[in-house]
Amino acid sequence: MLHFPASETQTHLEIDKTLKSLCFSGRLSEAVDLLCSNGSSPVKPQTYSHLLQECVNRKQLFLGRRIHGRMVTVGFPADDYLTTKLLILYAKNDDLDTARKLFDRVPKRDRVPWNAMISGFIRKGLDGRALLFYYEMRSSGLGPDQFTFASVFRACARLASLDHGKRAHCALIKSSVKANLIVDSALIDMYFKCSSMDDGLCVFDGLSDKNVITWTALISGYGQHGRVSEVFGHFRRMIDDGFRPNYVTFAAVLSACSRRGLVEEGWHYFSLMTREYNIRPRGEHYATMVDLLGRLGYLKEAYELLLQSPYRTRSVIWGALVGACRMHKDLNMLRLASRRFFELECGNAGKYVVVSNAYADLQMWEEVADLRQTVRKLGIKREPGWSSVEVGDNSLVTFNQYRV
């Protein structure tokens, strides 16, 4: 690592120039080292902004914390703009407590800090809090923009809250905000996740600008409800309209095949990816095929496909095979699959529960006891789960924590 000591003769302008040069050339860590070894010499706000933005882009929370600490140490008074930069850094790296403290320090908030907090809550799975924050934003007199609506629709989809989703959709229609493809696809996904398929199709049909993202949202929506005829039909419509499917589209189609146990169709679309579109199957495609074959009892074929997969070191694929072995009570394959399953991410408590339940179904009580003892020895603890309940007029979302 190169070191750039800050001499007494070096001007503040040269220091700023060096910091920006290091930052723009991808040497962010060296730039932060130089910043923190720069005595008490001041740095321009624009330089702090460049450094923090690079930390945001690279998701470098540790380096961002060092910059923040430096600002505090030298007594640099961060304005609303830099405070918002820091807020975005913490929110995008799941430190929502610090992000909220910074949010409260911005007296005149525009949409950026609000959107950062809303998307941060969603990223961490706190969709109910994201909705409450959205309503606080509305109550403050600030109107949402495209980023806000995309986040809110995503939260409503995960909560399966049709009432909140329709409210946000009405707000979008009444506003002067022009929806884009990201907002449109999030809106379609929300309606399908909330089991309002007619509304989802209506939104799609009303789009003047469609692309593979919106088509995939539609196909995925029907697949989630097991409507494979619509999945195949819309897939053909997409092709006929001149759109090229991507790996997400194929993942949605394969998932629909798996839900309905359509092995022949699954193999067709799995091979179509490479044969017609030169798309190399990814881990999720192999996992879906293993799940599809396993559901129908083709455990040997699923195992062989898994061994041929370049993603055979992905634990989720082995987990799919474990689930299939449990379903069909194949003891030998279960032992083989569970051994490979444990070799990958051995500290994941959920894996032990999955395999323990499989052993219990086969009345393999000694193996169940051994697994529980292993969990205790390793000190592995399960994360709490969450449930959500809407009360009253659906304007309030409450959560209960529970152990699963």
Side-chain angles (χ1 to χ4, degrees), residues 35 66 68 120 331 382:
L35 174 71
R66 291 187 64 191
H68 189 189
L331 175 59
R382 296 203 62 191

Side-chain angles (χ1 to χ4, degrees), residues 92-297:
K92 285 195 172 184
N93 288 277
D94 296 337
D95 188 350
L96 296 180
D97 291 335
T98 304
R100 181 57 195 265
K101 291 176 182 177
L102 292 166
F103 177 87
D104 292 335
R105 294 180 191 174
V106 182
K108 297 181 180 179
R109 306 183 189 101
D110 58 15
R111 294 180 182 87
V112 176
W114 284 100
N115 287 339
M117 290 301 301
I118 292 171
S119 62
F121 284 129
I122 295 172
R123 187 178 297 104
K124 205 167 183 179
L126 303 174
D127 304 289
R129 290 186 65 182
L131 279 184
L132 292 175
F133 226 74
Y134 161 71
Y135 288 121
E136 285 183 32
M137 174 184 176
R138 297 290 304 275
S139 298
S140 70
L142 193 62
D145 60 9
Q146 293 173 329
F147 298 101
T148 318
F149 282 119
S151 295
V152 170
F153 291 143
R154 193 172 300 116
C156 292
R158 286 165 50 167
L159 290 169
S161 179
L162 181 60
D163 182 72
H164 289 290
K166 284 187 172 181
R167 291 184 189 181
H169 190 187
C170 289
L172 173 63
I173 294 172
K174 293 178 182 178
S175 71
S176 59
V177 176
K178 291 184 178 180
N180 57 21
L181 292 171
I182 302 301
V183 175
D184 291 333
S185 61
L187 180 59
I188 294 169
D189 181 65
M190 183 274 294
Y191 276 121
F192 275 97
K193 291 280 180 60
C194 294
S195 300
S196 186
M197 290 180 282
D198 290 341
D199 287 324
L201 180 60
C202 183
V203 171
F204 177 82
D205 287 338
L207 298 180
S208 58
D209 186 16
K210 299 181 178 71
N211 76 347
V212 65
I213 297 175
T214 51
W215 274 105
T216 300
L218 182 71
I219 292 169
S220 176
Y222 278 114
Q224 292 161 11
H225 293 276
R227 303 277 289 270
V228 291
S229 60
E230 285 89 346
V231 168
F232 298 153
H234 288 300
F235 184 86
R236 288 191 295 270
R237 277 184 57 198
M238 180 181 69
I239 302 300
D240 293 340
D241 286 355
F243 294 96
R244 180 184 178 87
N246 60 19
Y247 75 95
V248 182
T249 314
F250 278 105
V253 175
L254 290 175
S255 180
C257 294
S258 179
R259 282 187 172 90
R260 296 300 299 270
L262 303 177
V263 175
E264 184 177 345
E265 290 83 352
W267 276 122
H268 167 72
Y269 287 103
F270 186 77
S271 62
L272 187 67
M273 295 174 61
T274 306
R275 187 178 70 249
E276 296 292 336
Y277 297 99
N278 197 29
I279 299 175
R280 182 177 298 177
R282 301 191 181 188
E284 56 265 39
H285 303 108
Y286 281 100
T288 304
M289 285 302 299
V290 168
D291 180 65
L292 169 58
L293 293 169
R295 283 172 183 261
L296 274 295

